[in-house]
Amino acid sequence: MSRYEEDLWIITRDNLVALMEVFIKTREVIAPVRGHGEEVIFYPIESIEDVAWDWQYVNAVLPPKRFFLPQTEVMFEYRYDNGYKITPRYDDRVRMIFGIRPCDVNALVFLDRFFGGGSLSKKSPDEEPLFPDSHYIKRRANTFIIAFGCHQPGENCFCVCCDGGPFLEEDYDLQLTSMNGDYAVEVGSARGLKIIYGNEHFFHMASSDEVKELERIKEDALNKFGDTCAYVSKAIRRVTEAKVDDSLWEKLAERCLDCGGCSYVCPTCCCYNIVDIPLSEKSGIRTRTWDSCAFAGFTRIAGGEILRSDKKDRLKRRFFHKLSYQYIEKNKRHGCVGCGRCITTCLGDINMPSVVEAIRKQKVTVQAAATLRHEEEI
Amino acid sequence: MKDVYFPDIAVIDNIRNETGDVKTFTMRFKDPDIQENLTYRSGQFFEVSIFGIGEMPISITTSPSHKGFFELSVKNVGLVSGVLHGLPSGSEVGIRGPFGNGFPYEEVFGKDLLFVGGGIGLAPLRSLINNVLDNRDNFGRVIILYGSRTPGDLVFRDEFKAWEDQPDVSTLVTVDRGDEKWVGNVGVVTTLFPKAGIESKNAVAFVCGPPVMIPFVIKDLLKLGFKEDTIISTLERHMKCGAGKCGHCCIGHKYVCVDGPVFSYREMKAMME
Ligand SMILES: Cc1cc2nc3c(=O)[nH]c(=O)nc-3n(C[C@H](O)[C@H](O)[C@H](O)COP(=O)(O)OP(=O)(O)OC[C@H]3O[C@@H](n4cnc5c(N)ncnc54)[C@H](O)[C@@H]3O)c2cc1C
Ligand code: SF4
Ligand code: SF4
Ligand code: FES
């Protein structure tokens, strides 16, 4: 166990409701709420009544990424009045995200490193991070994380094989796990501990039996994954060594609709476009919006040439970015946390487990073997 | 923390027509402190904003040895470049950067240098050429080979003479198609190679130009004995952020905006994709 503080705390459901009522009054609280039908989405809540509790959902259909990297956000305003004046726009609301699942927290940690500038090549380890993204960083720093451990995986979940869950060991503020009608509370950060000490009357220290019970729940959860496994390591190696024959991407490309859904629902996908929107003749805003490497226009250069015009090259790109060791080295982990959302979304059945399986099962063909020999000759 | 997306304002002080569709803009940051503290390497680029229209990456064509202003040579090819071409002197634009790695400079002290440019590709090379010539003693022989489609497409024509006048510098120019007045070389840039007396032994080659030109030049340079890592070129990709974030410029695992745009031929070959 690598908690910020070893002590385990317990909070009853009533106390948790009371504590959340306090938070709702003092900051924006984002929580899973019921959308249409069974689906659950993250949304700012006004009352604890709106919350979908952990036993009512496995995970939200969309990741909470948009609260850190909104689908469209204003970066600055410009105004012309005898010269240009630019006013940056930052979102520094104090927020709390309640009920976020471990896979999504791990995706945020991935984005923290990326937007923090820690993923870019540095000449020495103690060099300052390159080009930190103030807009992302401000939102992230102001958001307190209350995660819910997953004792019941969903049918598409494979976080166990992606270092994504089902429980967090680091990088959270508080982690709650349902236990005998109450919640076990693990503390993952100094500000998490501050919440406990500041509201001590809501919590009590767990007994040694309760500590053991939490361990049992965690073990039990792992067992529930059964056969769900993506076996990514072989795919990582083959993608890294360029041993995947193009015919695989060609076959997948026949089923890809270019919709970009896979990127939009993925908690670690974060490519964006930058677009100016004039609001009057002399003023306007610069915005950034989500983009996707699945779109042909993503690599269009002057003169109209599209560098990745072939759909198979775009799919290859997406999975190279997610899986190759070249990117693992930059990001310190592969780009999938096993949330399973691409499984639910893609109409063409192109998702992380299915692609990994296809790569794993593909015979290393004559063609691929030939390139290999060629490389050895050099 | 400096916001990497926040442009500083620069003023266009002068505009020069290079060709029918290329203009060179002399600019300076409106805030004198920013202009004063501007440092960059040849081969680096700015993200140039026309507010309300958008941004585009443009190489800094001035040598870092020239202070107090900077120049951008821009070909009119589309939206942002088109609007920039329509702006009068005194207009304001947004500038972010400098971005990118830039050309090796200190690393090639003592070497003979071969520059091979095509079309607007001479813009980034010009920064390096002028920096080399301003510090002439640090380098060996300098050969500049430049080609464009027609005589009317040659950029920086006024400067060829000044380059040629420096000790141990040869500048050879060619066009794909001449006109009535053209008495110089005709043919693609590689046809200049035999005339230039190139010695590859202690030399580094810098190649910038349209994508169709690069493979031919590299092929001939290899034949002349240049090694894969003594051939230096630049890659053009769609760019939005310049800061390794938006994902548009990636090739394989390289962010062209941060790890490039300058790469050796060896590095380019190793890029998987
Ligand atoms: C590192 C680098 C240095 C460059 N240096 C120069 C230079 O010194 N002089 C010069 O004339 N050109 C240069 N270019 C090419 C120049 O960036 C494009 O011609 C310019 O972006 C075209 O923009 P546009 O809006 O006029 O064209 P459009 O085709 O209308 O572009 C539409 C959009 O695509 C975006 N875009 C981003 N990157 C590119 C790209 N590489 N090509 C085309 N569109 C892009 C633009 O921001 C624009 O918003 C350079 C490109 C790169 C990558
Ligand atoms: S892989 Fe699937 S989700 Fe992604 S763009 Fe193609 S069809 Fe859409
Ligand atoms: S690739 Fe698919 S399973 Fe993996 S994190 Fe993205 S959406 Fe979730
Ligand atoms: S231009 Fe955005 S990542 Fe390179």
Side-chain angles (χ1 to χ4, degrees), chain A residues 255-263 294 315 345-348 350:
Chain A
R255 313 201 306 248
C256 174
L257 309 171
D258 279 352
C259 68
C262 48
S263 316
L315 280 171
T345 298
C346 181
L347 298 169
I350 304 166

Side-chain angles (χ1 to χ4, degrees), chain A residues 78 83-84 90 121 131 133 135 271-273 276 286 288 291 298 300-301 307-308 317 320 327 330, chain B residues 3 5-7 49 51-52 55 92 237-238 240-241 244-248 250 252-253 255 259 272-273:
Chain A
Y78 66 86
Y84 276 107
Y90 297 114
S121 342
F131 306 129
D133 186 305
H135 299 260
C271 287
Y272 57 83
N273 198 359
D276 282 13
R286 176 159 296 166
R288 74 166 153 196
D291 207 338
F298 193 72
R300 192 186 64 81
I301 59 165
L307 298 169
R308 250 179 245 124
R317 162 74 206 160
F320 180 81
Y327 274 101
K330 284 179 192 290
Chain B
D3 184 341
Y5 303 107
F6 190 88
S49 286
F51 297 108
E55 270 187 310
E92 292 183 1
R237 302 295 281 189
H238 187 121
K240 282 292 175 187
C241 69
K245 304 283 186 292
C246 74
H248 283 266
C250 289
H253 65 296
Y255 290 86
D259 302 319
M272 273 171 42
E273 197 168 306

Side-chain angles (χ1 to χ4, degrees), chain A residues 48-282:
Chain A
I48 193 72
E49 306 276 295
D50 301 335
V51 168
W53 288 92
D54 56 318
W55 69 89
Q56 294 171 316
Y57 72 101
V58 175
N59 205 352
V61 281
L62 296 173
K65 150 174 103 174
R66 73 181 178 94
F67 297 100
F68 305 92
L69 182 72
Q71 187 145 12
T72 300
E73 78 179 283
V74 181
M75 314 197 75
F76 61 74
E77 290 162 39
Y78 66 86
R79 182 171 291 281
Y80 188 84
D81 183 10
N82 226 340
Y84 276 107
K85 190 169 160 22
I86 300 167
T87 321
R89 278 246 213 115
Y90 297 114
D91 177 354
D92 32 30
R93 273 175 295 178
V94 177
R95 297 187 304 186
M96 166 178 279
I97 183 157
F98 175 83
I100 182 173
R101 294 297 194 180
C103 55
D104 287 337
V105 174
N106 274 313
L108 285 179
V109 174
F110 178 96
L111 295 182
D112 292 350
R113 194 174 293 116
F114 181 73
F115 282 116
S119 301
L120 293 172
S121 342
K122 289 198 251 172
K123 286 177 192 82
S124 78
D126 44 42
E127 204 176 299
E128 295 270 304
L130 258 183
F131 306 129
D133 186 305
S134 339
H135 299 260
Y136 174 91
I137 292 170
K138 277 197 207 306
R139 287 198 185 86
R140 181 70 167 94
N142 291 331
T143 309
F144 187 92
I145 289 197
I146 300 186
F148 270 36
C150 288
H151 43 75
Q152 183 58 61
E155 54 174 346
N156 291 335
C157 297
F158 58 102
C159 59
V160 265
C161 25
C162 289
D163 186 21
F167 295 89
L168 293 166
E169 287 175 356
E170 57 204 313
D171 302 316
Y172 59 92
D173 294 312
L174 296 175
Q175 172 166 250
L176 271 52
T177 305
S178 251
M179 199 163 95
N180 308 328
D182 296 334
Y183 288 96
V185 184
E186 293 168 275
V187 181
S189 72
R191 62 180 185 180
L193 193 61
K194 222 165 117 191
I195 291 285
I196 305 242
Y197 286 155
N199 301 275
E200 233 170 335
H201 52 294
F202 286 128
F203 298 89
H204 68 265
M205 197 85 84
S207 68
S208 60
D209 280 350
E210 285 167 322
V211 171
K212 279 198 203 109
E213 173 68 2
L214 179 62
E215 290 312 305
R216 199 195 56 72
I217 289 174
K218 288 187 176 180
E219 241 165 70
D220 202 39
L222 277 180
N223 292 333
K224 285 185 189 152
F225 279 88
D227 294 338
T228 325
C229 215
Y231 303 104
V232 282
S233 43
K234 189 167 190 171
I236 287 175
R237 181 177 58 76
R238 287 195 168 169
V239 167
T240 302
E241 293 188 316
K243 280 189 189 168
V244 183
D245 194 273
D246 262 7
S247 62
L248 185 141
W249 305 116
E250 270 157 29
K251 236 192 282 163
L252 290 175
E254 286 169 16
R255 313 201 306 248
C256 174
L257 309 171
D258 279 352
C259 68
C262 48
S263 316
Y264 286 9
V265 302
C266 179
T268 64
C269 272
C270 57
C271 287
Y272 57 83
N273 198 359
I274 299 180
V275 181
D276 282 13
I277 303 177
L279 298 176
S280 75
E281 220 162 274
K282 301 202 152 177

